[in-house]
Amino acid sequence: MLKISKLAMAAALVLGATAALAGEVEVLHYWTSGGEAKSVAELKKIMQAKGHVWKDFAVAGGGGDNAATVLKSRVVSGNPPAAAQIKGPAIQEWAGEGVLANLDATAKAEKWDSLLPKMVADGMKYKGSYVAVPVNVHRVNFMWANPEVLKKAGVAAMPKTYDEFFAAADKIKKAGLVALAHGGQNWQDFTTFEDVVLGVGGAKFYNDALVKLDPKALNSDTMKKSFETFRKLKGYTDAASSGRDWNLATAMVMKGEAGFQFMGDWAKGEFLAAGKVPGKDFLCAAAPGTSGAYTFNVDSFAMFKLKSADAQKAQADLSAAIMGTGFQEVFNLNKGSIPVRLNMDLAKFDDCAKLSSKDFVDTAKSGGLQPSAAHGMAVRPAAEGAIKDVVSQFWNDDKVSVPDAMKKLVSAAATQ
Ligand code: GAL
């Protein structure tokens, strides 16, 4: 009889055990631009190193509306992925459907409650149990610029107010370049609009208007001034901006075709992926009027109930990996965001990230820390979608007057 060596037997046992514990994780996300894809590839590497199979379910479309549509059809057909990029109040809605897995065992073993700001941890729970894992903290109210373009146009410094911004934009236009790189998609219009509301009205007004959806704030003179400022910005974008993807707008700044872009710091991921150096090839600053405020956007993965033990084990490993220090560092270095896990060493992070991290802490104390309405952090998805449409219609159609837009905003905010 063929004598199997002890070593071969041991190897077979280990392989067998590993194979039994190895599972497949299908992950739905919308990170398909250069910087985004590089970032999510790090999670794939970690899971493959653990012996799991990574099934990449990427749905292109910045801001995630396309991904949300595809996810709904998968869940309705009873075939959800292991994990999906879901964040903010939408987590509560999905959990309310009874389709999300309970992650408390992993959360307890990994001590998540002690590793997260309470506000973030609470957002990941449904009725006190974890159902999602946070990935990062993005700052939405960032402005990006090409220093060469500013120099060519005679703009001495990054504008801190809208008066300074429009003066700089006029100089860039006069120099024959695009002052404001913009992608004409509804979520990008909304991103710019929330920057304007924050810059014109301040954090308390932003909270009253776009978080509390207070009709008095939505109907106020400050909102009127916000819409007027928002429309004035349109005149500094280029005619080809309609439908442009956000990362192509970032590329316009990168290539020196445009001076500024208002975009969350995932735009930094594009500059870094192209080998650009912050402070030298591109500049970052708070959007005009918002240096004392911080609109946060915490990406997260909600975990869906799965049938097989192997898949559940792989899902638990995925959850633990996302909150691990290794992933928190390498992912956020590529993504342009900062780690959501507390007490991480930011030595490898650049000055834009260090500014974001400092401001995150300072604004949490000052009241300047606000959930991003445009990125699913502030209001229920139905109201967010309705407001996004009103804002985009105003941006696209000069025939929509400011009073009309304000009236539409009030009714959109009431959408259940
Ligand atoms: C945001 C998302 C970011 C980034 C951006 C562009 O909603 O939170 O991680 O991907 O969309 O797609």
Side-chain angles (χ1 to χ4, degrees), residues 66-280:
N66 299 346
T69 306
V70 174
L71 175 62
K72 283 192 186 93
S73 60
R74 279 287 298 270
V75 176
V76 162
S77 63
N79 172 29
Q85 191 182 345
I86 298 172
K87 55 185 178 175
I91 294 173
Q92 303 306 314
E93 292 200 347
W94 277 107
E97 297 296 322
V99 291
L100 298 187
N102 182 317
L103 305 177
D104 283 343
T106 303
K108 199 157 168 283
E110 301 289 320
K111 303 186 176 48
W112 287 354
D113 275 343
S114 65
L115 298 173
L116 291 170
K118 187 178 181 311
M119 165 193 66
V120 173
D122 291 348
M124 299 298 133
K125 294 175 186 174
Y126 178 73
K127 295 184 177 165
S129 286
Y130 278 94
V131 291
V133 198
V135 177
N136 60 5
V137 180
H138 270 304
R139 181 181 201 173
V140 177
N141 63 309
F142 255 131
M143 175 173 61
W144 308 92
N146 182 315
E148 281 308 304
V149 169
L150 301 194
K151 202 159 139 237
K152 203 184 291 179
V155 176
M158 287 288 260
K160 289 187 171 49
T161 65
Y162 276 103
D163 287 345
E164 288 177 10
F165 178 82
F166 289 121
D170 283 332
K171 288 179 177 172
I172 293 168
K173 256 181 116 172
K174 217 159 136 233
L177 295 166
V178 174
L180 179 61
H182 182 73
Q185 295 171 348
N186 62 7
W187 70 272
Q188 295 188 62
D189 303 339
F190 193 6
T191 299
T192 302
F193 181 69
E194 85 168 28
D195 282 344
V196 172
V197 169
L198 187 65
V200 168
K204 174 149 182 353
F205 175 73
Y206 171 95
N207 188 278
D208 289 342
L210 295 183
V211 183
K212 292 196 182 77
L213 302 180
D214 175 355
K216 277 201 304 306
L218 295 172
N219 251 321
S220 64
D221 282 346
T222 308
M223 184 52 79
K224 177 172 175 293
K225 190 159 174 269
S226 300
F227 269 111
E228 288 163 352
T229 305
F230 182 55
R231 174 152 277 162
K232 193 173 173 185
L233 283 173
K234 175 90 185 275
Y236 292 93
T237 60
D238 64 305
S241 67
S242 176
R244 178 185 289 136
D245 286 333
W246 68 271
N247 51 313
L248 300 182
T250 309
M252 287 171 70
V253 177
M254 217 184 289
K255 291 184 287 189
E257 295 163 7
F260 298 108
Q261 183 187 20
F262 292 175
M263 191 46 72
D265 49 12
W266 47 91
K268 191 178 75 173
E270 299 307 299
F271 286 108
L272 298 179
K276 302 299 180 189
V277 177
K280 176 175 161 292

